Amino acid sequence: MKPNTDLNESLMARARQVIPGGVNSPVRAFRAVGGTPRFVQRAQGQYFWDANGQRYIDYIGSWGPMILGHGHPAVLEAVQKAATEGFSFGAPTEREIELAEEILSLVPSMEMLRLVSSGTEAGMTAIRLARGATGRSRIIKFEGCYHGHADALLVKAGSGLATFGNPTSAGVPPEVVQHTMVLEYNNVAQLEEAFALHGKDIAGLIIEPIAGNMNFVRASVEFTRRCRELCTQHGALLIYDEVMTGCRVALGSAQSVYAKQIPGFEPDLTVMGKVIGGGMPLAAFGGKRSVMEQLAPLGPVYQAGTLSGNPVATACGLATLREIRKPGFFDDLSRKTHALVDGLKNAAAAEGLPFSADCEGGMFGFFLLPELPHNYTEVMKSDSGRFNLLFHGLLDRGVYIAPALYEAGFVSAAHTDEDIAATVAAAKEIFKELAPK
Ligand SMILES: *Cc1c(COP(=O)(O)O)cnc(C)c1O
């Protein structure tokens, strides 16, 4: 129940005076779903509490990083200890080596990596590295995939097939995206045509293997195989953006899921973030030694960062990864995520509501569509009016999912079977109201 004075509302009014739109990242503003954003006061385990003291079951987990839930004791202890030893040095530490070794052992397609502070930074530099290592300019990205807000990647498809894209943000000159080709996700014919036309100029292809920025869309096995083959054949680098999927859909990330179906499959470069930082600003990119040695100070591709490999962030990431690699961790997480997805599907089916959902490890997505979509155009057909009613219905019942139709959801190790059951029960009530009469 809403108290008479909604403290979220008064905080939002105050925030709007000093921060554009009141938020430091646009989706937090609830523009897509309407209503007042919840200002988080504190979080513990699978819950957070807003300014009114209202509790929510948290299914965004900071958009993925909080795979253990909030305030995990081992992580908290590691962070507190690291903080007492110093916040930042601008000189190397042993913990950076430990974290690098840990990540490389989980994702063996990478032989070396570099730590940075955000997924945007990691993706942007992976592109620069691919261009520097190949001496080529063109890159391929796919409509609906998000790779951070670097200029060259803020681009949507142009009118013609395999043509140059158009900037999706003001402030990005067309010249800056003129080397970025934007293709349709899961469209093999278009991919083949792009390589046939421009193969010798393509430095790299960047893709979200399971696209979490269009909710949850898997690259098909056939599409993934062709991405790999065409990159190899034309000397382009296959860049896996696993900022969201990394150590989230499986311990070995999405590439380990595809390697089960495509023997020997690996990308050339991998971009990581979110889970590997455990909620602290930390990300990474890595790949084969020969490519990574193109980076400064060894090679000609420049990259640097004042806070890169930050000692508190590396402590947080390391403690997180040590928990998730414990035997059975992912089995248990997957089981809970499946229970949620199956529960929602059954509840929607019982009401005759068009609904589809999918999940892998601790990541899930659902659509108000009868069938799972395969690309951005199909995702866009999901019913946004009904989604907004579902979102607010859940919010009123103490369940927090992403405030936008095109965003994935996340289950943490802290979620219990009771939380899942309560979520499904809440959704069931709302589905009843939404069902076509
Ligand atoms: C979140 C995300 C990014 C950007 O990471 P930031 O840390 O927000 O800069 C890049 N790629 C993917 C796939 C993401 O989900």
Side-chain angles (χ1 to χ4, degrees), residues 117-121 146-149 208 213 241 243-244 274:
S117 302
S118 73
T120 292
E121 211 186 333
Y146 177 69
H147 306 291
H149 62 91
E208 282 184 81
N213 289 287
D241 182 348
V243 172
M244 189 179 286
K274 299 195 170 107

Side-chain angles (χ1 to χ4, degrees), residues 348 351-354 386 431-437:
E351 302 304 329
L353 191 70
R386 275 199 183 125
F431 288 161
K432 263 197 195 4
E433 294 165 20
L434 294 185
K437 294 283 161 359

